[in-house]
Structure formats: structure tokens, C-alpha cells
């Protein structure tokens, strides 16, 4: 299919980058089908598309991570070959990856040094530069910390700073804001606009359509690996953009739902939970109390790094509480029950990090379903796996949640980010849990699927289960939660019904403006 | 006083081959590759070094040949695992079996051939200092080399950029590839270095420790070297500690056996160094975060750039 080259490209300057008829085939799917794209100097260009549309594949090709099967690339008017990321960097292309490409055991500075092809993280000049750049751009970072101690939001900052340190003339950002807080996003946009005004080009991938409208000058839309449209996002609405992406009208997330606060049996109750963080830089929990009733969605808002990880570990049973009666489920003390035991009771868990924590990247979907669902689905008989049944269950999840993949045998790693998230959420919901705990459930998920996931969470609650959603996306919490509490520096605020509070108030609480509850 | 120096000297002698093999394997594993062929490469190095030494009388050449043999065998491993993506565990085991057979074949005509051990250094004045002199200044060249290599490896891994790159490849080859490092080539160099070090360890056995050739004379040292790397949580300093602990205990149990105490069967005494070394290293490296920080996360996994 041909792309109509948008007329907004200034004719006098050659495009900075021109992709011609790029095609990439994976076993069982055509990820990019003759994609053509022009990027001009000094523009912020959005690349839009549903989960699995081929956005990440395309930018990996232009960054030399993967090779295209056919097609040509021109850089500043010259035909070029980009066989490797270092070739891309030599041209002046920088990249912020969707899945973190950081080295966890190394320090932030080491990570930067590696990407910059210079020295090590011990170099004081480099440390000073990192600090200066991160202060300049309002992306707070301590370069000496080791990456594995950082929260997801902080890691994203490292990726962004690492890319900016290389002073690139084309910056590719694959969903950079999915885990940043609203104020961090604002700061990033200021930076990006500054970079654009310096004449740099930014190729920006995001599922947050409102952001695209605020930030981008042009947009190219992919569907099923093909360019289907290109437009000026400022002239569009989020719903019209979403319609272009999915190819039919889009109604937005399911709105209007009964609110049931104050009724229902207490399902989960946490009383005075305190817990040390398991790393010296993690946040410890201080005297956390809340109850979740059957039939409600309970939201926990907060800026990444305020103790969510410790709280999630304590709720999922990955770390047991010092005292059994600090966590109660259906009236029984479960503080010292481990993750398996809690799953058997009907508590399901969707962690924040989908590759590695929520799934085993190299195992097929079927095995990933088995690992979490064998107990509730009865997939094991006399110590033997019932393959037929587990395949069936996996197929059900794929079907019910519209997961785009090559089948039950596809490795988790081979799914696009949003599709993997749909699979993990679906896997947990279809186990019919009494309580579902989900962290950042729609991170990196396209508008259509996000609406589907949010509706599924609401439906689960309305069917009588309890749902806890930990998220920093306030729009999401206000769409689906009945009550919301804020976590800050390891303490949890009183909860408030979402209909009786505003996003602004919660935003203030997220900044720490509340008295610790006794 | 008179017996202290010989004891220390024999401990050093028993520890040096382990130190070579383990420090080499440490570099290999830090790059994310698990080569279980250490025992085989040691034997290859031992037999070639011995043959060259007997035939040419040139011990420098013999040492180089031993290292080269280890590197060549490692090269074979690299072609299979890095080039053809064969399973590393199976290939490493095969390499050990191959090394045992090959060295027995090559060394057939040399069993029982006498050889004078590598000359010990002799610095007049310094070597004559009681105890310290012969221990510190009276060793052969390979002993010094083992310490130089260990120091260089520690410095390389933690102070140089190339070392940082090597560690990053072992931690997350996909991210390293995405940044643009030649993962396969870096691993190849690490594997070759590991092979050369195992070869040197073998050369030390047949040229200095027991200057002769006997089939399977490495007697499981390659396996102990592998275990040392793991239990030392991939840290060079602890590898030295482990190697010397093992060397010391080996010697101690030999003396116990020599004293003819029949109360404990000799088989049990033979086990002591293996068990005690592992227990000690496990006890000092229990900290889970430490292990996680030092263990190469991608170890043993096949890497292909398009994955
Ligand atoms: N290594 C791989 N092997 C097989 N299939 C792959 C591989 N990488 C991607 N795919 C497939 O290619 C298609 C495009 O994936 P891609 O990651 O580019 O999507 P995306 O547009 O970035 O989606 P998302 O918004 O979810 O990140 C998907 O169907 C995906 O399953
Ligand atoms: Mg993507």
C-alpha cells in the first residue's frame, strides 16, 4: 500500500529520514508491510497504531536492531544502510525503548557510559554531565544508584536521559510517558519542544491520544503493518484518532456504572501493615490500613517509587508480612501465607512489569497460562500436566481478550507490549478470582484495548469480586475506581469515593500533601 | 619454622592450577557463557605443554603451547555454541569428554617420561630470607603469572570500559545488542581467554606440580574450578580465597592420610577439601542481593540477535 506523502513537509529541505517500502515478516505475521514515512527536521511526528500494528518493529529497523526484509532508508537525502544500532547512533539517531534496555546490576552512570561509547560510570566528568542534563530537563536522577533498585518511572527517566546525552538529531521515543507522572510528562514535553525548536526531529510513539494532540505536529497511522493514514493530530479528537487506528468508530471506555461504597462484605482488610523495603533504596511501608469490599474497585494512586512495589509484594504474598493478622482475607489472617497459598484462596495478581514478572519471556503463552492458572483451573492431575486443557484455557484467554499473537505456542517475548498485557490481565480475570490486584493494568495498551481491560475490571467487580488497582494514571482511576486512596512515601491516605473528590485533590495528595493516617 | 615454608609452598602449588582455571571461567561466565569443558581444556593444555617440553626442552614454548591448546579447544566450543547456537551445557560436557580422550591419545607415548620441573625463581638475598624468601620469592613463573592474571582480571572487569561492556553482555545480551555491542564477538574473546587460562592451569600441573604425564591427571580440578566460580559469586578476590582454601585443605588431608590415622577412612578425607571449600564459600556469600548483583543474568542462554 502506498502512503500519501503529507503535503506539510517543507519542500526546500530534504527530509531528515525517509523510509521507503519497508517490509518485515516474522514467522506467522507480517509486522511491516511496505511502510513509507518521511520525517522532516524540526518536527515532532507521531506514530500511531493499535497494539501489534508494527510500530516498535518499524523503529527497531530504523535503529538497526532488526533488519528489514526489503525497503530502503535515506538519511539527509543519502541512501544508507543501518546494520546496527551503533551505525544508527553514528548517523545521529537516538532511541528510548519501549521495554527497558537497561542493565539492572549496573549503576545509572554505567548504563549511560555504555550507551555513549565512552569511559565507565566512574568518570567524574560523565557523572557531572548526567547530573547537569537531568537537572536541566527536570528528570531527577542519582547517577550512582544501581538500576535494579529503581522504580519503573525512574528507569524510564534513565532511558530518556541516556538518549538525550547522545545529542541526537533524530530521537525515537517508544512510549516514553507510559509510566511518568503528569508533571513529569509536562516537563518532558517542554524538553521535547525545546529539542524540536533546536531543529531536531522526534518520532514519538504513544497510546495517549490526548498527549499526541498536545505535542505532535504530524501523525502517521499504522494498522496491521500498513500505513493507513496520515494527519495533523491537532485537527483531530482523541476519538477520531482512535477511529483511524482501529478502522471503525470508537466510543471510548465504558462510562456510567453503579457506585457501591459502604455496602458489601469486607473482603480484604489490611490493618497497620508496616514492612521494610527489600532493597536499601526501596520505600518501606508505614502503618498501612485499608479495606476492600466485594463488588468494588479500589484505586491506589501514587507517583512511582512511593512504596507501591513493597505494598504489591505484601498483597500478592511474594513477601509475607511480619504479622499474620496485618492482612486479612474473608476474615482469615493471611499475612504469613505465601503467594501460592493466596492464589489458591482466589487472590489473583497482575504485576507492573509484564516481561519477567508477569510472564516468563521465553516460554510460550500456554506455559505462561499454566504457571499462573494451574491451581484454579485444575490443569494438573496426579502431578501430570493436562496439555489439552491448558491449551484450551490459553485459547480462551486469547479469544476473550483479543490477544494478537501467532497462537498458544508464541513466546511471551514475541507479543507486542499491549497484547502481552491483555493476555496477562485476561489470564488472571479468567481464573475467576475473588480478589484481583492489578498494577498499572493499561500501561502501554492502546485506547481500544485499554477500554476493554477497564471494562473487564469493572465487570469483574460487579460480578462480586474485589478489585484493587494500583496506578499513576488518574484518568484511569477516576474511570474505573469506586474509591481511591493515595500512597506517598510508604503511607496510605484515607480513601475517598471517587464521585466525592476530584482529580486535582488526588493530584495534591500524590505530591505528599496529607497528614499520615494514624 | 623449617616445616612452615615447605607447607606454604605446597599449598601454593596445589592452588595455582585451580586459580588459573577458575579465573578464566569467571571471565567466560561474566560474559554470559557457561563452558563446562574446563576439565577437558586443562587436560589438553597439560598434555600439549608436557609433550612440547619433552620434545624441545623449551619450557616457555611449552607454557605458550598449553595455553594455545586450551584456547583452541575453547574455540571449538565457541564455534558450536556461539556460532551454531548449540546448547552450552551439552557442548561443554562433550568438550570435557573430548579433552579426556584426546589427551590420553596424545599422551600415550609419554606416560612415565621423566621431566625436570619448571625452574623456581632464585633471587640471591631475597630468596634466602627464612620462610618468606622461598615462599614469596622462590616460586616458578606460572605462580606469579596466576596472581598477575587474577589482578588484571579484577582490574579489567571493574575498572575498564571493556570490562564494563563484557559484564553488560553477560547481564543482558539483548540490551547490549540494542546499544550496538558485538555480543557474539565479545563472548568469543571471553571464551578463548577462559580456554587459555584452563590450558595454563593444565600446563602448570604437568610442568611443575607433578612434572609428568598421567591420564586424567587433572583429577576433577576443572570441576572444582567451575564450582569455585559460582560459590565465589563471580568475584575474583573470593576465587583466590576459594582456590587457596581448597589447596590448603588438599594438603592438610594428604598429611593426615600420611600420618596413617586409620580412624577415618581415606575416602572421607579425600572429600574434605571439596565439601569444606564449598561450605565456607556458601557461608560467606549468603547475601541474596549480592549474588544477584554479581551473577551474570544471561548465563548459559543461547543468544541470537533477532530474538
Ligand atoms: N521477535 C518477534 N518474533 C515474532 N513476532 C514478532 C516479533 N516481534 C514482534 N512480532 C510481532 O509483530 C507484530 C508487530 O509488533 P510490534 O511490537 O511492532 O507492535 P507495536 O505496534 O509496537 O505494538 P504495541 O503498541 O503493543 O507496542 C506483532 O504481531 C508481534 O506479535
Ligand atoms: Mg511497541
Amino acid at each position: 500500500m502506498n502512503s500519501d506523502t503529507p503535503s506539510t513537509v517543507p519542500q526546500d529541505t530534504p527530509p531528515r529520514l525517509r523510509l521507503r517500502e519497508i517490509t518485515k515478516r516474522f514467522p506467522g505475521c507480517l509486522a511491516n508491510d511496505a511502510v513509507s514515512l518521511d520525517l522532516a527536521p524540526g518536527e515532532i511526528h507521531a506514530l500511531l497504531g493499535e497494539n501489534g500494528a508494527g510500530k516498535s518493529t518499524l523503529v527497531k529497523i530504523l535503529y538497526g536492531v532488526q533488519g528489514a526484509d526489503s525497503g530502503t532508508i535515506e538519511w539527509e537525502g543519502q541512501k544508507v544502510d543501518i546494520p546496527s544500532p551503533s551505525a544508527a547512533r553514528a548517523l545521529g539517531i537516538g532511541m528510548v525503548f519501549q521495554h527497558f534496555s537497561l542493565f539492572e546490576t549496573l549503576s545509572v552512570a554505567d548504563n549511560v557510559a555504555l550507551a555513549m561509547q565512552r569511559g565507565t560510570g566512574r568518570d567524574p566528568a560523565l557523572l557531572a554531565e548526567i547530573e547537569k542534563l537531568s537537572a536541566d530537563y527536570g528528570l531527577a536522577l542519582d547517577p550512582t544508584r544501581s538500576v535494579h533498585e529503581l522504580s519503573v518511572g525512574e528507569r524510564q527517566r534513565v532511558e530518556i536521559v541516556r538518549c538525550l546525552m547522545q545529542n541526537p538529531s533524530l530521537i525515537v521515543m517508544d512510549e516514553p510517558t507510559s509510566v511518568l507522572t503528569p508533571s513529569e510528562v509536562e516537563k518532558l514535553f517542554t524538553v521535547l519542544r525545546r529539542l524540536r525548536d533546536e531543529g531536531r526531529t522526534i518520532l514519538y510513539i504513544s497510546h495517549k491520544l490526548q498527549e499526541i494532540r498536545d505535542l505532535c505536529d504530524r501523525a502517521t497511522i499504522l494498522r496491521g503493518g500498513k500505513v493507513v493514514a496520515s494527519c495533523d493530530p491537532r485537527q483531530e479528537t482523541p476519538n477520531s484518532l482512535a477511529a483511524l487506528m482501529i478502522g471503525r468508530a470508537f466510543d471510548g471506555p465504558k462510562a456510567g456504572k453503579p457506585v457501591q461504597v459502604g455496602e458489601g462484605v469486607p473482603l480484604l482488610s489490611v490493618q497497620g501493615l508496616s514492612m521494610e523495603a527489600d532493597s536499601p533504596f526501596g520505600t518501606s511501608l508505614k502503618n498501612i490500613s485499608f479495606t476492600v469490599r466485594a463488588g468494588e474497585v479500589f484505586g491506589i494512586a501514587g507517583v512511582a517509587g512511593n512504596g507501591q512495589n513493597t505494598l504489591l509484594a505484601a498483597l500478592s504474598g511474594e513477601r509475607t508480612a511480619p504479622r499474620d493478622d496485618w492482612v486479612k482475607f474473608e476474615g482469615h489472617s493471611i499475612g504469613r501465607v505465601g503467594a501460592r497459598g493466596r492464589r489458591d484462596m482466589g487472590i489473583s495478581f497482575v504485576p507492573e512489569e509484564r516481561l519477567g514478572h508477569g510472564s516468563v519471556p521465553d516460554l510460550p503463552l500456554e506455559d505462561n497460562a499454566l504457571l499462573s492458572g494451574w491451581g484454579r483451573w485444575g490443569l494438573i492431575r496426579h502431578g501430570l500436566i493436562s496439555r489439552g486443557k491448558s491449551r484450551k484455557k490459553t485459547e480462551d484467554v486469547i479469544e476473550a481478550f483479543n490477544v494478537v499473537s501467532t497462537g498458544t505456542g508464541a513466546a511471551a517475548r514475541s507479543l507486542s507490549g499491549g497484547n502481552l498485557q491483555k493476555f496477562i490481565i485476561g489470564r488472571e480475570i479468567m481464573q475467576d478470582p475473588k480478589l484481583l490486584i492489578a498494577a498499572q493494568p493499561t500501561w502501554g495498551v492502546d485506547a481500544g484495548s485499554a477500554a476493554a481491560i477497564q471494562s473487564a475490571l469493572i465487570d469483574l467487580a460487579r460480578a462480586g469480586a474485589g478489585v484493587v488497582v494500583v496506578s499513576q494514571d488518574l484518568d484511569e482511576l477516576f474511570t474505573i475506581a469506586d474509591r481511591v486512596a493515595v500512597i506517598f512515601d510508604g503511607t496510605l491516605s484515607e480513601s475517598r469515593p471517587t464521585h466525592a473528590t476530584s482529580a486535582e485533590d488526588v493530584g495534591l495528595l500524590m505530591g505528599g500533601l496529607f497528614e499520615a493516617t494514624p | 619454622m623449617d616445616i612452615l615454608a615447605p607447607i606454604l609452598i605446597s599449598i601454593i602449588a596445589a592452588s595455582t592450577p585451580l586459580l588459573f582455571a577458575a579465573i578464566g571461567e569467571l571471565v567466560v561466565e561474566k560474559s554470559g557463557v557457561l563452558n563446562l569443558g574446563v576439565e577437558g581444556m586443562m587436560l589438553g593444555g597439560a598434555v600439549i605443554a608436557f609433550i612440547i617440553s619433552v620434545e624441545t626442552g623449551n619450557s616457555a614454548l611449552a607454557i605458550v603451547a598449553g595455553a594455545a591448546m586450551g584456547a583452541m579447544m575453547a574455540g571449538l566450543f565457541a564455534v558450536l555454541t556461539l556460532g551454531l547456537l548449540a546448547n552450552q551445557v551439552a557442548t561443554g560436557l562433550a568438550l570435557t569428554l573430548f579433552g579426556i580422550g584426546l589427551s590420553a591419545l596424545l599422551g600415550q607415548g609419554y606416560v612415565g617420561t621423566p621431566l625436570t620441573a619448571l625452574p623456581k625463581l632464585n633471587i640471591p638475598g631475597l630468596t634466602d630470607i627464612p620462610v618468606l624468601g622461598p615462599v614469596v620469592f622462590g616460586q616458578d613463573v606460572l605462580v606469579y603469572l596466576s596472581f598477575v592474571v587474577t589482578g588484571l582480571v579484577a582490574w579489567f572487569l571493574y575498572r575498564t570500559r571493556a570490562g564494563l561492556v563484557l559484564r553488560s553482555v553477560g547481564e543482558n545480551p539483548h540490551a547490549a545488542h540494542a546499544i550496538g555491542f558485538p555480543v557474539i564477538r565479545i563472548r568469543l574473546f571471553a571464551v578463548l581467554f577462559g580456554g587459555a587460562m584452563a590450558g595454563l592451569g593444565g600446563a602448570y600441573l604437568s610442568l611443575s606440580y607433578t612434572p609428568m604425564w598421567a591420564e586424567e591427571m587433572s583429577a576433577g580440578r576443572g570441576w572444582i574450578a567451575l564450582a569455585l566460580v559460582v560459590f565465589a559469586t563471580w568475584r575474583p578476590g573470593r576465587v583466590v580465597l576459594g582456590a587457596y582454601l581448597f589447596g590448603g585443605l588438599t594438603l592438610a588431608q594428604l598429611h593426615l592420610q600420611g600420618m596413617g590415622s586409620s580412624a577415618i577412612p581415606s575416602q572421607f578425607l579425600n572429600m574434605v577439601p571439596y565439601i569444606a571449600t564449598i561450605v565456607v564459600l556458601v557461608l560467606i556469600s549468603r547475601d541474596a542481593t549480592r549474588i544477584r548483583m554479581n551473577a551474570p543474568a544471561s548465563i548459559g542462554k543461547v543468544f541470537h540477535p533477532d530474538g
Side-chain angles (χ1 to χ4, degrees):
Chain A
M1 177 163 288
N2 257 328
S3 78
D4 39 338
T5 310
S7 51
T8 45
V9 179
Q11 292 307 309
D12 43 333
T13 42
R16 177 151 282 150
L17 181 87
R18 165 169 288 184
L19 300 178
R20 279 282 160 266
E21 307 277 313
I22 297 283
T23 298
K24 173 82 183 178
R25 180 180 294 281
F26 285 115
C29 88
L30 191 55
N32 286 157
D33 184 358
V35 174
S36 298
L37 181 68
D38 281 1
L39 300 177
E43 73 163 340
I44 303 183
H45 193 120
L47 189 57
L48 302 180
E50 287 182 283
N51 293 129
K55 306 177 296 292
S56 295
T57 306
L58 187 69
V59 298
K60 278 185 193 156
I61 289 170
L62 81 84
Y63 195 60
V65 179
Q66 284 171 345
D69 297 338
S70 64
T72 57
I73 303 178
E74 281 172 35
W75 177 257
E76 312 272 10
Q78 306 283 318
K79 202 176 155 212
V80 290
D81 232 12
I82 308 183
S84 71
S86 30
R89 262 198 313 271
L91 292 174
I93 303 177
M95 171 105 174
V96 174
F97 286 98
Q98 177 177 17
H99 290 290
F100 300 119
S101 62
L102 296 174
F103 303 100
E104 297 206 359
T105 62
L106 305 180
S107 70
V108 170
D110 276 339
N111 271 280
V112 174
L114 280 168
M116 304 234 344
Q117 314 283 341
R118 71 173 241 211
T120 71
R122 295 171 174 274
D123 176 1
L126 183 74
L127 290 173
E129 265 178 67
I130 297 173
E131 267 165 1
K132 178 168 179 314
L133 188 128
S134 56
D136 248 22
Y137 291 166
L139 299 159
L141 268 189
D142 174 358
T144 57
R145 276 178 66 177
S146 151
V147 169
H148 77 107
E149 295 157 347
L150 303 183
S151 69
V152 180
E154 291 167 310
R155 288 177 197 209
Q156 195 118 33
R157 270 179 246 162
V158 180
E159 288 255 13
I160 292 170
V161 166
R162 185 169 80 166
C163 170
L164 293 181
M165 289 282 289
Q166 300 169 45
N167 194 23
S169 54
L170 167 62
I171 302 163
V172 181
M173 299 195 136
D174 198 348
E175 299 185 35
T177 60
S178 28
V179 285
L180 298 187
T181 61
S183 74
E184 283 171 324
V185 169
E186 237 350 280
K187 280 183 193 148
L188 176 70
F189 283 7
T190 316
V191 175
L192 294 183
R193 291 193 185 103
R194 188 163 111 200
L195 293 169
R196 170 190 58 196
D197 297 341
E198 291 165 9
R200 297 177 218 254
T201 307
I202 294 158
L203 181 61
Y204 190 86
I205 300 179
S206 172
H207 290 294
K208 299 190 176 169
L209 300 174
Q210 189 54 46
E211 281 183 0
I212 301 272
R213 291 187 57 234
D214 292 346
L215 181 72
C216 300
D217 307 310
R218 283 201 301 149
T220 296
I221 292 151
L222 289 180
R223 193 192 313 145
K226 291 181 190 154
V227 177
V228 291
S230 106
C231 62
D232 180 348
R234 287 164 302 197
Q235 312 294 325
E236 306 283 335
T237 64
N239 277 7
S240 70
L241 285 173
L244 284 173
M245 280 162 49
I246 59 182
R248 60 188 150 76
F250 174 75
D251 341 307
K254 179 163 119 182
K257 50 183 169 50
V259 177
Q260 332 189 326
V261 181
E263 308 150 29
V265 202
L267 186 66
L268 174 74
S269 92
V270 175
Q271 284 309 326
L273 171 70
S274 295
M275 194 188 251
E276 286 295 311
D278 58 357
S279 95
F281 295 103
T283 308
S284 303
L285 302 180
K286 299 166 200 104
N287 197 13
I288 288 204
S289 302
F290 65 95
T291 27
V292 180
R293 293 183 189 82
E296 75 168 339
V297 179
F298 184 82
I300 297 180
V303 176
N306 273 299
Q308 287 97 327
N309 290 347
T310 319
L311 179 61
L312 286 165
L315 292 181
S316 69
E318 276 161 54
R319 292 186 60 205
T320 48
R323 283 183 46 189
D324 205 31
D325 59 355
W326 282 354
V327 185
K328 285 192 174 141
F329 180 64
E330 296 183 315
H332 304 289
S333 298
I334 58 160
R336 302 211 50 80
V337 177
R340 186 77 249 162
R342 293 191 198 186
R343 276 191 177 275
D344 290 341
M345 293 173 190
I347 304 178
S348 271
F349 180 59
V350 177
E352 173 174 12
E353 186 195 358
R354 56 183 80 126
L355 267 180
H357 196 179
S359 70
V360 186
D362 293 317
L363 287 186
L365 293 182
E366 185 186 328
D367 289 357
N368 272 300
L370 176 78
L371 283 171
S372 147
W374 63 270
R376 304 274 300 170
W377 282 333
L379 301 181
I380 306 242
R381 280 283 142 79
H382 312 298
L384 296 177
I385 297 171
S386 138
R387 277 287 164 198
K389 221 165 153 187
S390 71
R391 193 160 308 135
K392 177 79 184 54
K393 285 291 181 193
T394 313
E395 279 162 4
D396 292 349
V397 173
I398 290 176
E399 165 144 6
F401 283 80
N402 261 321
V403 180
V404 180
S405 71
T406 53
T408 58
R413 187 193 288 293
S414 76
L415 264 65
S416 79
N419 277 302
L420 184 58
Q421 185 68 5
K422 284 194 275 181
F423 177 77
I424 293 172
I425 296 254
R427 173 185 77 185
E428 300 305 330
I429 287 185
M430 290 188 67
Q431 286 173 41
D432 234 338
K434 292 183 193 156
L435 175 68
L436 178 74
I437 299 159
Q440 317 285 2
T442 59
W443 169 25
V445 175
D446 66 46
S449 312
I453 288 177
Q454 291 168 351
S455 306
L457 291 175
I458 294 171
D459 290 345
L460 183 71
R462 296 303 168 250
V467 176
V468 179
V469 175
V470 178
S471 175
Q472 17 180 10
D473 184 344
L474 285 184
D475 293 340
E476 168 165 278
L477 290 178
F478 275 86
T479 311
I480 64 175
D482 301 302
R483 283 189 300 144
V484 58
V486 175
I487 187 166
F488 177 79
D489 195 24
T491 47
L492 192 74
S493 73
E494 297 274 7
S495 69
R496 302 176 180 189
T498 41
H499 63 82
T501 184
S502 69
E504 286 68 41
D505 289 348
V506 174
L508 288 178
L509 291 177
M510 284 167 77
L513 294 173
F514 66 89
E515 299 296 325
T517 37
Chain B
M1 268 310 175
D2 283 357
I3 66 161
L4 190 57
I7 288 180
L8 288 177
I9 288 171
S10 346
I11 291 179
I12 292 173
S15 313
T16 301
L18 271 179
L19 186 54
F20 270 123
I23 208 75
E25 179 68 11
L26 182 141
V27 172
V28 177
E29 293 190 9
K30 270 289 188 191
S31 81
V33 179
L34 179 66
N35 184 353
L36 295 181
V38 181
E39 179 86 358
M41 298 187 296
M42 280 182 98
L43 283 168
V47 74
I48 292 295
F50 187 81
I51 293 174
I52 298 289
S53 183
V54 168
E55 298 298 335
T56 68
N58 183 340
S59 25
L61 192 65
I63 291 172
V64 172
M69 180 67 180
M72 257 159 57
M73 294 175 69
L76 184 66
F77 173 86
V79 168
L80 292 172
T81 57
L82 302 180
L84 303 174
L85 308 182
N87 178 294
Q88 294 177 6
V89 171
T91 311
L93 290 174
L95 185 65
T96 284
L97 296 177
F98 172 68
I100 292 174
L102 182 73
S103 61
L105 181 72
L106 294 175
Q108 221 170 22
Y110 294 88
V111 179
T113 311
L115 181 73
T116 37
L118 275 185
K120 306 274 187 219
L121 207 69
N122 194 351
I123 309 168
L126 287 180
T127 315
D128 300 334
I129 303 170
V131 186
L132 202 65
V135 173
V136 180
F137 301 105
Q139 300 292 343
D140 61 55
V141 57
L142 281 177
V143 172
Y144 298 114
L145 188 62
S146 72
F147 277 95
V148 171
V149 165
T150 309
L152 281 178
V153 162
W155 172 80
F156 167 81
L157 282 178
Y158 295 102
R159 296 287 147 152
T160 68
R161 174 167 173 83
L164 177 64
V165 172
L166 183 114
R167 284 187 288 141
S168 76
V169 165
E171 150 103 27
N172 187 344
H174 294 280
H177 172 72
I179 290 180
F181 295 118
V183 173
I184 304 279
R185 203 180 329 147
I186 290 167
R187 289 187 164 177
L188 171 69
F189 286 132
V191 168
L192 291 179
F193 173 80
M197 289 305 109
L200 277 183
Y204 182 83
L205 283 176
S206 66
L207 297 181
S208 174
Y209 189 55
T210 46
M212 54 156 202
W213 167 251
E215 274 184 31
E216 297 195 45
M217 68 184 295
S218 53
R221 284 184 181 80
W223 296 112
I224 274 292
L226 276 164
L228 275 184
V229 177
V230 175
F231 291 116
T233 55
W234 294 270
R235 302 207 311 184
R238 291 193 174 170
V239 166
V240 177
L241 180 77
Y244 273 77
L245 192 65
F246 183 82
L249 289 166
T250 309
L251 203 79
Q253 65 89 9
L254 277 179
H255 277 283
L256 272 180
Q257 285 191 36
M259 290 186 327
S261 82
S262 55
I264 312 166
S266 67
Q267 286 85 344
F268 278 105
L269 289 173
N270 279 333
M271 291 178 203
V272 168
Y274 297 85
I275 294 172
T277 305
I278 286 170
V279 167
V280 169
L281 285 169
V282 166
L283 288 180
I284 60 172
S285 1
R286 264 176 319 178
D287 184 342
T289 344
R290 274 266 174 68
I291 296 176
R292 204 168 150 265
M293 287 298 284
N294 288 297
S298 74
I299 191 160
K301 285 186 210 145
V302 165
F303 168 78
H304 44 104
D306 237 18

